């Protein structure tokens, strides 16, 4: 079954997506998304994501793997950049046997690479532990460039925070923070619970 829809988000930008589960055993979902921002430039992403659940006692780990690509056309000069999603974090369902709190969280590393610029971005999703005693939804990451001679990454920015409250980037060697994500006005944190999805709009992706 395919799911499609579009949204303008109350602005002049337009975003469209179509997603379909193309395999049940193993479960694989194919997705295509495109959009254009208010200030110009465009976004296009296509790929597939597979998941493998593993029962680990009081929690279930859903390992995620992907073969996805993102193309960005920048507003200035119309330069196109192509990114590859190299890895995704796993989803953890805690407290399935009733021991400790019941909640979901992400854990593991997400890595995105850009061949044309040599830039690499990585985010490590921190877990709370077996019984949920730590802080939820913490992340720590970096943005840097891979050295062609040594194969190591020289970081330009570090990333920290919690994805349901506030995320900031700090330039290496500086203390000035650049806010990447914040909660909506009047809210202490972004909801991480299940919400009802809006009605599906009919849409066919261009060939």
């Amino acid at each position: 079954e395919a799911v499609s829809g579009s949204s303008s988000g109350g602005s002049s930008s337009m975003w469209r997506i179509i997603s379909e589960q193309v395999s049940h055993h193993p479960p694989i979902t194919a997705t295509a998304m495109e959009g254009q921002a208010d200030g110009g430039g465009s976004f296009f992403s296509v790929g597939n994501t597979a998941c493998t659940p593993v029962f680990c006692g009081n929690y279930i780990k859903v390992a995620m793997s992907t073969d996805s690509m993102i193309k960005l056309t920048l507003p200035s000069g119309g330069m196109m950049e192509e990114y590859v999603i190299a890895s995704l974090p796993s989803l953890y369902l805690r407290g399935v046997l009733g021991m400790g709190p019941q909640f979901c969280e992400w854990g593991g590393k997400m890595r995105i690479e850009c061949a044309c610029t040599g830039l690499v971005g990585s985010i490590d999703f921190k877990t709370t532990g077996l019984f949920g005693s730590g802080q939820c939804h913490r992340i720590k990451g970096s943005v840097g460039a891979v050295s062609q001679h040594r194969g190591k990454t020289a970081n330009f920015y570090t990333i920290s925070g919690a994805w349901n409250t506030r995320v900031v980037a700090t330039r290496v060697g500086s203390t000035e923070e650049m806010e990447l994500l914040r909660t909506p006005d009047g809210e202490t944190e972004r909801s991480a619970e299940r919400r009802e999805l809006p009605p599906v709009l009919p849409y066919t992706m261009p060939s």
Side-chain angles (χ1 to χ4, degrees), residues 28-194:
I28 300 176
T29 300
T31 303
M33 181 169 61
E34 63 179 2
Q36 186 167 2
D38 291 333
S42 62
F43 172 97
F44 179 77
S45 175
V46 63
N48 62 77
T49 303
C51 59
T52 304
V54 180
F55 181 71
C56 304
N58 193 43
Y59 70 93
I60 296 175
K61 175 184 176 180
V62 184
M64 312 291 288
S65 60
T66 185
D67 181 12
S68 301
M69 173 271 298
I70 298 173
K71 287 186 177 181
L72 295 177
T73 302
L74 304 182
S76 56
M79 177 181 176
M80 177 179 288
E81 295 181 353
E82 184 172 322
Y83 297 82
V84 174
I85 302 177
S87 63
L88 289 175
S90 298
L91 178 65
Y92 290 82
L93 290 75
R94 303 290 188 185
V96 294
L97 297 183
M99 294 182 291
Q102 294 182 335
F103 65 99
C104 299
E105 64 174 343
W106 293 100
K109 292 186 177 182
M110 179 178 185
R111 182 180 172 93
I112 301 178
E113 304 170 351
C114 179
C116 62
T117 62
L119 295 177
V120 175
S122 64
I123 295 179
D124 189 3
F125 291 76
K126 305 292 185 179
T127 61
T128 58
L130 292 178
F131 299 101
S133 57
Q135 183 182 353
C136 292
H137 313 312
R138 294 175 301 119
I139 64 172
K140 192 173 183 180
S142 63
V143 177
V146 177
S147 172
Q148 296 182 354
H149 301 287
R150 299 182 179 180
K152 297 183 178 180
T153 302
N155 293 331
F156 304 142
Y157 288 90
T158 59
I159 300 173
S160 61
W163 61 259
N164 66 325
T165 53
R166 184 172 182 262
V167 177
V168 298
T170 306
R171 190 173 184 88
V172 174
S174 171
T175 58
E176 185 178 355
E177 295 181 344
M178 178 173 58
E179 194 172 61
L180 303 178
L181 185 67
R182 64 183 178 88
T183 55
D185 294 338
E187 298 184 20
T188 56
E189 66 179 38
R190 184 175 289 99
S191 175
E193 304 300 325
R194 176 181 177 272

